[in-house]
Amino acid sequence: LGYDIRSFENGTEIYIEVKTTTGSFWSNLFFTQNEFDKMNEYGDQYYLYRICDFDVDNNTGDLYIFKGKEMIDSYFEFKSKMYVLTQK
């Protein structure tokens, strides 16, 4: 789908991608090409929920919410570092 949760905010449909890490806020995030494409397609309706410093024993972490592609782009730079190898 390119997102984890479809929800509504003030009557507007939103698409939420959740990324969780036991690392710090600036730990690398990994987006699939599909997630990246959906972020570009949905624009202001695409939200990133960033959970970091996740404690697996207590099931707690710090939540940061980025509302829309423009806000996500203001915090993160997207760099491609993956190659897909297929049969010739």
Side-chain angles (χ1 to χ4, degrees):
L1 296 173
Y3 58 89
D4 295 314
I5 302 164
R6 184 176 60 116
S7 188
F8 293 87
E9 182 176 71
N10 301 322
T12 300
E13 196 167 36
I14 62 171
Y15 305 90
I16 301 167
E17 179 60 31
V18 180
K19 297 292 183 182
T20 304
T21 181
T22 57
S24 70
F25 177 85
W26 289 114
S27 296
N28 288 340
L29 297 172
F30 296 96
F31 262 50
T32 65
Q33 184 65 52
N34 192 39
E35 291 164 348
F36 182 76
D37 292 344
K38 292 302 178 184
M39 179 189 70
N40 286 309
E41 178 182 341
Y42 294 134
D44 288 342
Q45 293 172 272
Y46 196 89
Y47 287 35
L48 170 63
Y49 283 25
R50 174 70 164 148
I51 302 169
C52 56
D53 297 312
F54 185 70
D55 182 331
V56 293
D57 294 327
N58 295 312
N59 204 29
T60 60
D62 298 325
L63 171 65
Y64 299 87
I65 298 174
F66 300 89
K67 297 182 177 185
K69 177 188 180 325
E70 187 175 319
M71 186 177 194
I72 296 167
D73 281 339
S74 73
Y75 278 86
F76 302 101
E77 181 176 4
F78 289 84
K79 293 183 177 181
S80 177
K81 292 187 177 209
M82 181 178 285
Y83 296 90
V84 176
L85 282 70
T86 60
Q87 182 178 4
K88 288 186 179 182

